[in-house]
Amino acid sequence: MTHTIFVINGPNLNMLGKREPGIYGGKTLDEIDVDCRSAGKTLGVEIDFRQSNHEGVLVDWIQEAGGSASGVVINPGAYGHTSIALHDAIRSIQPMPVAEVHLSNIHAREPFRHKTMIAPVATGVICGFGSHGYILALHAIASRLGAGPDSLREATR
Ligand code: DQA
């Protein structure tokens, strides 16, 4: 069976490339989408890549993942710092593996970015590695699902 991993992106991530490239890097979200699909091919998983600026839409997609996907990679953007709704949505799909990703190292930035509402209910968190964080997260989720290279599967046992 082919696993599907939802890659869900929150507010303002559609502005990547133009938006504060010194912090978030120069890649556009479309380029990150292409990178994720190519990682998906390597890992033998389907990638369903999405972005919305709307909290309720993100909640809908997390619930949808709970019904039809095997895992979730989410960059919740600023909602990661504030949203009890996203926290609850992720709780509702447990024990599905969920990786929280931030391009920037949120812990090295303003104090209001240090707290994440997602981390306590995520399987793990990757931040500070730019767009490569999405690829690291896909490898981590795939290995949880028993997909991808054997060495990675072993490493997370
Ligand atoms: C971000 C970090 C958040 O603090 C910020 O609001 C974003 C992007 C990141 O990927 O580094 O929109 O999630």
Side-chain angles (χ1 to χ4, degrees):
M1 158 200 167
T2 305
H3 291 293
T4 298
I5 302 177
F6 276 27
V7 181
I8 297 176
N9 294 278
N12 298 307
L13 292 166
N14 55 315
M15 301 297 286
L16 287 179
K18 301 193 267 274
R19 176 192 181 203
E20 301 186 87
I23 294 176
Y24 298 118
K27 277 200 178 173
T28 64
L29 198 63
D30 282 347
E31 289 168 332
I32 295 174
D33 183 356
V34 169
D35 290 348
C36 286
R37 278 174 211 287
S38 129
K41 283 209 177 78
T42 305
L43 294 166
V45 297
E46 286 289 324
I47 303 298
D48 189 325
F49 193 97
R50 305 168 178 207
Q51 188 275 333
S52 175
N53 291 326
H54 304 279
E55 188 176 14
V57 173
L58 299 171
V59 168
D60 288 342
W61 287 346
I62 292 165
Q63 291 179 3
E64 185 185 335
S68 66
S70 302
V72 174
V73 171
I74 182 164
N75 182 345
Y79 287 141
H81 310 301
T82 60
S83 177
I84 297 170
L86 291 186
H87 171 106
D88 283 347
I90 290 168
R91 279 174 90 119
S92 79
I93 62 165
Q94 281 172 353
M96 182 173 290
V98 175
E100 179 183 8
V101 170
H102 295 278
L103 296 145
S104 61
N105 179 355
I106 55 174
H107 302 290
R109 300 183 61 196
E110 305 95 320
F112 63 83
R113 295 186 204 274
H114 296 180
K115 186 173 170 68
T116 141
M117 303 297 287
I118 310 302
V121 288
T123 312
V125 181
I126 295 167
C127 73
F129 292 101
S131 63
H132 189 58
Y134 286 77
I135 309 304
L136 295 172
L138 286 172
H139 276 261
I141 296 292
S143 71
R144 274 288 162 124
L145 298 172
D150 287 347
S151 55
L152 280 166
R153 222 178 301 163
E154 284 303 321
T156 53
R157 277 218 179 107

